[in-house]
């Protein structure tokens, strides 16, 4: 549950070329403050600019969660050229208020993949996962997310590419598109 160590590990991986794997101990990593960006649209963790895999335990849940009393912010932002692979990670309670921020769990402009992971209980705008890049969801759950508009679970922009395989998208809501709102390329297997 050492958030300071997680932030330092992401910063180190961003600063060093090549692939990096951050293995988290089981438990909850509770984010209580904005790491970067303005109030209301900031990020709880550093912007992903490198090639980073964050993996948890197979047996015990590993959760990255925004404290319910924290300011409104998204959990992850992946920049153009960045790659984030989540394996065995639950991303929970991003955002905190309907209408802001866009992509309260993950705002992706690079490449993001979820494997055996979950995105749950996020509140904001434009999908719990707001995708402008490439998103691959495998054996994962996207559930109980609510946004003001543009897809409760996933919002895929015109330039976005999404592949969903063997996954569950349920109980998400927004004014226009509960599970997935798609304007780009979408494949669901």
């Amino acid at each position: 549950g050492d958030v300071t160590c997680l932030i330092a590990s992401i910063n180190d991986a961003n600063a060093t070329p090549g692939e990096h794997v951050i293995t988290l101990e089981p438990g909850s990593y509770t984010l209580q403050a904005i790491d970067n960006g303005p109030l209301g649209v900031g990020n709880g963790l550093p912007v992903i600019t490198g090639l980073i895999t964050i993996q948890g335990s197979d047996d015990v849940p590993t959760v990255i969660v925004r404290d319910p009393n924290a300011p409104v912010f998204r959990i992850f932002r992946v920049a153009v050229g960045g790659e984030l692979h989540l394996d065995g990670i639950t991303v929970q309670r991003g955002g905190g208020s309907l209408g802001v921020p866009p992509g309260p769990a993950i705002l992706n402009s690079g490449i993001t993949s979820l494997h055996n992971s979950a995105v749950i209980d996020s509140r904001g705008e434009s999908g719990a996962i707001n995708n402008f890049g490439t998103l691959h969801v495998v054996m994962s759950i996207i559930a109980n997310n609510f946004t003001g508009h543009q897809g409760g679970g996933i919002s895929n922009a015109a330039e976005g590419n999404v592949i969903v395989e063997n996954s569950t998208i349920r109980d998400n809501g927004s004014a226009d598109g509960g599970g997935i709102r798609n304007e780009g390329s979408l494949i669901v297997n």
Side-chain angles (χ1 to χ4, degrees):
D2 189 340
V3 172
T4 302
C5 184
L6 174 58
I7 289 171
S9 295
I10 292 171
N11 283 328
D12 287 347
N14 280 335
T16 309
E19 287 186 46
H20 301 276
V21 177
I22 300 170
T23 303
L24 300 181
E25 295 290 329
S28 291
Y29 293 75
T30 304
L31 307 177
Q32 298 180 344
I34 295 172
D35 177 77
N36 61 84
L39 185 64
V41 293
N43 310 294
L45 294 171
V47 176
I48 305 296
T49 58
L51 175 50
I52 301 173
T53 297
I54 300 176
Q55 62 187 24
S57 168
D58 289 336
D59 301 328
V60 180
T62 303
V63 181
I64 300 174
V65 58
R66 185 188 132 275
D67 186 303
N69 299 315
V72 173
F73 58 81
R74 82 175 53 83
I75 307 292
F76 285 105
R77 179 175 178 202
V78 182
V80 172
E83 289 190 35
L84 174 63
H85 305 283
L86 298 178
D87 188 355
I89 301 292
T90 296
V91 179
Q92 185 174 7
R93 214 179 293 127
S97 176
L98 287 179
V100 291
I106 302 169
L107 175 60
N108 179 47
S109 297
I111 298 172
T112 296
S113 65
L114 282 70
H115 184 268
N116 194 30
S117 294
V119 173
I120 58 174
D121 299 328
S122 292
R123 305 286 181 273
E125 185 66 31
S126 303
I129 302 173
N130 191 353
N131 183 58
F132 293 90
T134 299
L135 174 65
H136 197 183
V137 179
V138 180
M139 296 172 48
S140 295
I141 297 170
I142 299 172
N144 300 315
N145 301 290
F146 297 94
T147 62
H149 299 90
Q150 300 182 348
I154 297 172
S155 180
N156 189 37
E159 61 270 34
N161 296 291
V162 175
I163 299 174
V164 178
E165 299 181 85
N166 299 320
S167 295
T168 299
I169 299 175
R170 65 173 175 80
D171 299 325
N172 300 285
S174 82
D176 41 302
I180 300 174
R181 180 177 188 265
N182 180 53
E183 294 182 348
S185 172
L186 171 67
I187 297 172
V188 178
N189 294 320

